[in-house]
Amino acid sequence: MALVIPFKAVRPKKAFAREVASFPYDVLDREEGRAIIRDNPLNFLRVEKSEIDVPNEIRDDDPRVFDRARENLQNFMKDGVLFQEDRPCFYIYRQKDARREQYGLVGCVSVGEYDQGLIKRHELTRVDKENERVSHIDTTGAQTGLVFLLYRSRAEIDRIVSAITRGEPEYDFTTSDGVSHTAWVVGDSGTVEALQREFSNVECLYIADGHHRAASASTVARMRRGRNPAHTGTEEYNRFVATLFPHEQLKILDYNRAVKDLQGMTATAFMERVGEKFTLSTGFTERSPSRSHQFGMYLGGTWYRLDARPEIYEKADLIGKLDVSILQDHLLGPILGIRDPRTDERIKFIGGIRGMDELERMVNERGYAVAFSLYPPGITELIGIADAGMIMPPKSTWFEPKLRSGLFVHLID
């Protein structure tokens, strides 16, 4: 079963919702974040990514960064930009762009179910990034961003959500990237109970995006249990805030790569090595692959199509047959020397939303030697791998639109 729990969200007043809604902390660097708050000081990045509000010499993991996040959150509430709901609610959060429309339920889920593996992951986390988020949550006493979860679609949940969204929304605005964000408050006890009842029939949940947030929430809960001799299990720190989407509404986008150099090889020598494992074709005007096991490669101002030779992967290998694995295991690792893509500074990952022009810019203008476009895995592949208890390679999935932070904050104090 999936335990989904209403909560008293801290959220913006209607008049401030568009200004407050921010990108997640991990999709912008400091300077990009500072540019946003220069024009809009109410943007929630001041809480979510509070290093933008301190001098450059202060590291991202400095306690002063997290103290500033707490101070900014308290000030937003004191100034009436944010307020706390007076009763536990669910929320329906719709995102719509030119490609898709998706409806998610915002609520809290159980840290205990995450620890038991009933909320399944498909990626590993980095300890340094996890530790930063632990400090952020523990210092602010709040989970400021949403974990992106998915579940196998259920017709009855769809029916309840459809009925809710025929009503008047609480928020309805469009951000500068062309994504519309609409939210409905679900405070009626009968509807809340009906949603909880239907989710109790969902066998498990899957993390689509937000692995570090979920892992950090679990760590904070463990820390606070240790500090609380009167722990009962009902405390808010035993839950983390998430948005749950039916899998049929979601699509994974490509997550592409660029590499700084050719590991000392000439372009000709590099191409010869690549040709041992891939069939190369020139004039790849599409730039983006149209099927799995096909790749685009931009080198020296030219696009090539790479087709993985069938003998280099096993069709029954859930991980090995993924395109991210094929590229890593047979090109990036053995040819370009990228042994650990999670830590190697020679590789850059580019979300598919940025398009193929961005890959060309990486090579033509930003000093990278070669870029690769990939065909994304499917949602059912992600579910199958998570069900098997396996872990996908780093940077395998990219989801758009990104859930905005600041619209639904969960206080754990």
Side-chain angles (χ1 to χ4, degrees):
M1 63 171 287
L3 181 61
V4 185
I5 309 155
F7 71 111
K8 296 180 180 180
V10 169
R11 59 186 183 87
K13 291 181 178 177
K14 273 189 178 183
F16 300 119
R18 187 181 187 278
E19 292 173 277
V20 168
S22 81
F23 282 110
Y25 71 95
D26 55 352
V27 301
L28 302 169
D29 61 28
R30 277 196 183 196
E31 288 312 307
E32 290 171 324
R34 284 178 177 145
I36 289 172
I37 67 168
R38 273 196 296 270
D39 295 332
N40 175 20
L42 296 185
N43 191 275
F44 198 73
L45 283 172
R46 296 186 63 199
V47 178
E48 172 82 336
K49 191 177 179 68
S50 51
E51 58 267 31
I52 66 176
D53 237 3
V54 299
N56 271 339
E57 60 268 20
I58 296 178
R59 289 165 46 99
D60 290 357
D61 58 356
D62 190 293
R64 288 171 289 181
V65 169
F66 312 118
D67 289 340
R68 179 59 61 86
R70 181 185 64 235
E71 177 186 339
N72 288 344
L73 177 60
Q74 291 172 347
N75 285 339
F76 279 153
M77 296 181 70
K78 182 179 67 176
D79 295 342
V81 176
L82 302 178
F83 73 98
Q84 186 169 23
E85 203 81 67
D86 60 4
R87 69 199 190 285
C89 296
F90 286 135
Y91 306 86
I92 303 300
Y93 180 12
R94 181 186 71 185
Q95 295 179 298
K96 184 178 180 180
D97 63 13
R99 294 173 301 278
R100 70 187 51 82
E101 186 173 1
Q102 56 197 36
Y103 293 77
L105 176 76
V106 180
C108 284
V109 296
S110 166
V111 167
E113 290 193 351
Y114 171 81
D115 292 339
Q116 295 164 32
L118 297 176
I119 300 175
K120 299 184 179 184
R121 60 180 185 164
H122 69 268
E123 287 184 3
L124 296 174
T125 56
R126 284 178 51 177
V127 173
D128 58 338
K129 297 301 181 184
E130 187 178 329
N131 287 342
E132 284 181 21
R133 212 34 36 180
V134 166
S135 296
H136 190 280
I137 294 170
D138 198 39
T139 302
T140 60
Q143 297 154 356
T144 60
L146 301 164
V147 178
F148 189 146
L149 299 179
L150 63 90
Y151 59 93
R152 287 187 177 90
S153 303
R154 293 182 62 86
E156 184 57 23
I157 295 176
D158 291 345
R159 187 195 66 77
I160 296 172
V161 169
S162 178
I164 294 167
T165 57
R166 287 196 289 270
E168 186 72 18
E170 177 75 357
Y171 303 139
D172 191 8
F173 59 90
T174 300
T175 44
S176 58
D177 56 356
V179 179
S180 71
H181 304 266
T182 311
W184 292 262
V185 179
V186 186
D188 172 69
S189 60
T191 307
V192 167
E193 289 169 8
L195 284 165
Q196 288 187 288
R197 185 167 56 250
E198 288 303 318
F199 272 100
S200 72
N201 296 318
V202 173
E203 184 178 349
C204 58
L205 304 172
Y206 302 86
I207 300 176
D209 200 4
H211 285 79
H212 287 88
R213 292 187 189 275
S216 300
S218 173
T219 300
V220 171
R222 187 167 58 250
M223 291 164 48
R224 291 197 168 210
R225 286 196 299 269
R227 299 199 299 252
N228 181 12
H231 169 82
T232 65
T234 61
E235 297 84 359
E236 291 297 325
Y237 58 70
N238 295 295
R239 306 159 184 170
F240 62 87
V241 65
T243 307
L244 298 81
F245 291 95
H247 83 281
E248 291 176 345
Q249 293 183 11
L250 303 179
K251 183 179 180 181
I252 301 172
L253 300 186
D254 44 312
Y255 213 162
N256 303 309
R257 278 91 165 118
V259 179
K260 270 286 188 183
D261 59 70
L262 299 181
Q263 190 77 335
M265 289 178 284
T266 64
T268 300
F270 169 67
M271 295 277 282
E272 289 176 356
R273 291 285 308 278
V274 171
E276 296 171 4
K277 299 294 179 71
F278 300 84
T279 301
L280 280 78
S281 307
T282 58
F284 186 40
T285 57
E286 296 88 349
R287 303 188 295 177
S288 181
S290 60
R291 60 173 178 82
S292 60
H293 306 156
Q294 182 184 93
F295 306 83
M297 182 175 75
Y298 187 65
L299 175 70
T302 299
W303 278 97
Y304 300 85
R305 194 184 82 193
L306 311 183
D307 290 280
R309 298 184 186 276
E311 64 269 18
I312 70 173
Y313 61 89
E314 293 288 340
K315 292 182 179 179
D317 184 348
L318 290 178
I319 301 297
K321 70 177 181 180
L322 292 173
D323 285 359
V324 287
S325 297
I326 291 171
L327 188 69
Q328 176 61 39
D329 296 345
H330 300 285
L331 198 160
L332 298 179
I335 299 176
L336 291 179
I338 307 292
R339 303 300 178 189
D340 185 353
R342 297 170 70 215
T343 58
D344 198 314
E345 295 183 354
R346 294 170 55 229
I347 190 169
K348 178 78 171 179
F349 300 93
I350 303 99
I353 191 68
R354 295 181 179 266
M356 298 300 101
D357 289 347
E358 180 66 14
L359 296 185
E360 292 187 9
R361 278 192 290 271
M362 297 295 292
V363 174
N364 295 341
E365 302 172 17
R366 300 178 187 173
Y368 284 77
V370 62
F372 301 93
S373 57
L374 286 80
Y375 190 78
I379 289 289
T380 55
E381 285 182 283
L382 182 156
I383 290 174
I385 287 168
D387 282 343
M390 296 179 175
I391 297 296
M392 297 174 83
K395 309 295 185 183
S396 294
T397 59
W398 182 273
F399 287 90
E400 286 282 347
K402 293 296 183 186
L403 300 176
R404 291 310 198 265
S405 294
L407 296 177
F408 311 103
V409 175
H410 177 223
L411 298 184
I412 64 171
D413 280 340

